[in-house]
């Protein structure tokens, strides 16, 4: 076995989230449910290192926690995601280190990236020196396993777009085809050079001081579909598809309009998706002629924005010097086209 395996995977911003929840996608098949996600160069890192004995050390944002064996790790509490994945692979005698560039609850797909990173690290550790092929089929399989294990210990519904964004990187349209496709999605790459350049020139992320709660509004969204309340979701799928076509064609005014429409659809139906701080940031972006959307399940966490290049720096400078910046940290990420990276360090 290797002394250590190091894995990194990108976080993401998105348009159309929750349509990747199979509870919603299956019902929505006639309306072509889809999601766009954009992997950004804020990367989660997961490392597994060998240590003698059966003990396990988990070093993450919570702190350093030591266990005598797998049986001591609870599937509840802050280490539950790591616990269920280590249990699945029956890995002991290791130290697991998890590092993220953002705080938990940012809504940037951190738990999905961590879950994928843990699955990939465990597989690489156990299979060393065999190399895991980075084929589309293999990446999809790892993403689906990571989602299944995360679903096992999460009370709210868990979609798969975060795991897929972390696996593939880049800019993608995911069409959720639950009828007769295995796996139940179709992947359309949108990251041509002009699209990536256009996004990099316009992209901003505001990390709010208030983390979004575990699962965000996923339970409420799934319940709305169970109640037959489909209009918002039909229109969300349509706006997301327009957004995908617009960024691919470099039609940025249309892209900004579609992104704003998608956010407004959700905010009208579920006003709690936008906290006070989020609304302040979004209003400022709209005042600069841009588009802004909540991340993940909303209700805190982060927002992302697209602002035309000629106005983006003026907006960013004004935001960071204004009192409103106390509500959130502004970052200027770029598209991360690399996706999952696995490094094995032999002894």
């Amino acid at each position: 076995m290797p002394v250590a395996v190091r894995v990194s995977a990108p976080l993401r911003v998105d348009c159309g989230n929750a349509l990747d929840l199979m509870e919603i996608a299956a019902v929505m098949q006639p309306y072509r449910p889809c999601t766009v996600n954009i992997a950004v160069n804020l990367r989660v890192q997961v490392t597994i290192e060998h240590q003698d004995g059966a003990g396990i050390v988990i070093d993450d944002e919570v702190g350093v926690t030591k266990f005598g064996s797998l049986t001591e790790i609870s599937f509840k509490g802050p280490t539950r995601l790591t616990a269920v994945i280590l249990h699945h692979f029956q890995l002991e005698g290791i130290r697991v280190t998890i590092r993220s560039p953002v705080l938990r609850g940012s809504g940037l797909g951190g738990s999905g990236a961590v879950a994928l990173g843990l699955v990939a690290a465990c597989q690489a550790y156990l299979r060393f020196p065999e190399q895991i092929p980075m084929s589309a089929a293999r990446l999809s399989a790892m993403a689906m396993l990571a989602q299944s294990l995360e679903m096992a210990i999460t009370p709210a519904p868990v979609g798969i777009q975060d795991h897929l964004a972390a696996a593939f990187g880049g800019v993608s349209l995911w069409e959720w085809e639950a009828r007769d496709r295995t796996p139940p999605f179709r992947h359309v790459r949108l990251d041509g050079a002009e699209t990536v350049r256009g996004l990099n020139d316009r992209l901003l992320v505001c990390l709010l001081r208030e983390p979004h709660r575990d699962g965000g509004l996923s339970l409420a969204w799934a319940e709305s579909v169970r109640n037959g309340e489909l209009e918002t979701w039909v229109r969300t799928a349509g706006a997301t598809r327009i957004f995908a076509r617009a960024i691919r064609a470099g039609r940025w005014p249309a892209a900004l309009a579609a992104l704003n429409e998608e956010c407004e659809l959700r905010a009208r139906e579920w006003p709690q998706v936008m906290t006070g701080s989020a609304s302040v940031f979004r209003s400022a972006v709209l005042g600069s002629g841009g588009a802004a959307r909540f991340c993940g399940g909303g209700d805190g966490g982060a927002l992302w924005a697209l602002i035309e290049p000629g106005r983006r720096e003026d907006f960013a400078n004004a935001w960071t010097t204004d009192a409103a910046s106390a509500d959130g940290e502004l970052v200027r990420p770029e598209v991360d086209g690399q996706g999952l990276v696995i490094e094995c360090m032999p002894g």
Side-chain angles (χ1 to χ4, degrees):
M1 285 188 180
V3 171
V5 171
R6 182 184 300 119
V7 174
S8 70
L11 302 179
R12 60 95 191 105
V13 296
D14 72 89
C15 177
N17 74 311
L19 287 169
D20 62 316
L21 298 173
M22 284 301 112
E23 300 95 319
I24 296 178
V27 177
M28 285 287 297
Q29 287 301 287
Y31 312 106
R32 303 174 68 200
C34 59
T35 305
V36 171
N37 53 39
I38 302 166
V40 294
N41 59 349
L42 302 169
R43 298 182 69 91
V44 164
Q45 292 191 343
V46 176
T47 303
I48 294 180
E49 300 170 274
H50 171 77
Q51 61 177 18
D52 293 334
I56 298 165
V57 177
I58 299 175
D59 179 357
D60 58 16
E61 76 273 15
V62 177
V64 178
T65 312
K66 298 180 180 180
F67 303 93
S69 65
L70 274 175
T71 58
E72 293 184 12
I73 307 180
S74 172
F75 286 4
K76 298 180 179 179
T79 61
R80 66 183 186 271
L81 181 58
T82 306
V84 75
I85 293 174
L86 294 182
H87 182 84
H88 174 86
F89 288 101
Q90 289 292 287
L91 262 182
E92 296 180 302
I94 56 170
R95 181 185 184 94
V96 179
T97 304
I98 301 170
R99 293 289 181 266
S100 174
V102 298
L103 295 176
R104 179 180 291 191
S106 68
L108 295 172
S111 65
V114 168
L116 178 77
L118 283 166
V119 165
C122 289
Q123 289 183 347
Y125 189 86
L126 289 171
R127 293 170 60 169
F128 183 82
E130 178 187 354
Q131 298 296 307
I132 296 177
M134 290 293 105
S135 65
R138 187 63 194 157
L139 289 170
S140 295
M142 285 193 287
M144 289 188 290
L145 176 57
Q147 180 213 18
S148 296
L149 290 169
E150 187 175 354
M151 282 195 300
I153 46 81
T154 303
V158 176
I160 193 173
Q161 71 139 344
D162 296 351
H163 311 80
L164 290 170
F168 286 86
V171 187
S172 300
L173 170 68
W174 298 95
E175 298 179 322
W176 309 111
E177 300 181 357
R179 279 180 175 155
D180 55 8
R181 189 177 184 90
T182 303
F185 50 80
R186 179 170 175 263
H187 183 198
V188 181
R189 301 293 307 218
L190 304 176
D191 46 3
E194 290 300 319
T195 298
V196 170
R197 188 177 301 112
L199 287 168
N200 288 344
D201 287 344
R202 292 167 172 82
L203 186 60
L204 288 173
V205 172
C206 183
L207 303 172
L208 301 174
R209 308 299 181 197
E210 43 202 10
H212 84 114
R213 56 191 171 84
D214 196 10
L217 294 170
S218 296
L219 282 170
W221 291 336
E223 184 66 22
S224 72
V225 172
R226 284 193 286 269
N227 292 336
E229 299 161 2
L230 301 183
E231 181 182 359
T232 295
W233 297 110
V234 173
R235 295 177 66 187
T236 294
T240 301
R241 201 169 289 278
I242 291 170
F243 177 72
R245 289 198 297 263
I247 63 172
R248 193 176 202 177
R251 295 186 287 108
W252 293 103
L256 269 59
L259 186 63
N260 275 328
E261 179 186 356
E262 195 275 352
C263 183
E264 287 163 7
L265 284 167
R266 208 78 65 93
R268 280 199 299 267
E269 189 71 23
W270 294 279
Q272 65 271 37
V273 79
M274 300 286 287
T275 63
S277 298
S279 296
V280 168
F281 178 76
R282 186 162 190 267
S283 295
V285 170
L286 295 179
S288 292
R293 187 190 185 278
F294 60 91
C295 293
D299 190 19
L303 284 91
W304 70 282
L306 294 175
I307 302 178
E308 289 299 333
R311 306 180 75 173
R312 184 178 74 157
E313 291 310 309
D314 288 342
F315 172 86
N317 291 334
W319 177 265
T320 53
T321 57
D322 189 82
S325 65
D327 291 328
E329 176 189 356
L330 202 63
V331 295
R332 298 171 177 80
E334 293 188 345
V335 174
D336 190 321
Q338 197 165 23
L340 183 71
V341 174
I342 303 173
E343 301 174 85
C344 294
M345 289 150 278

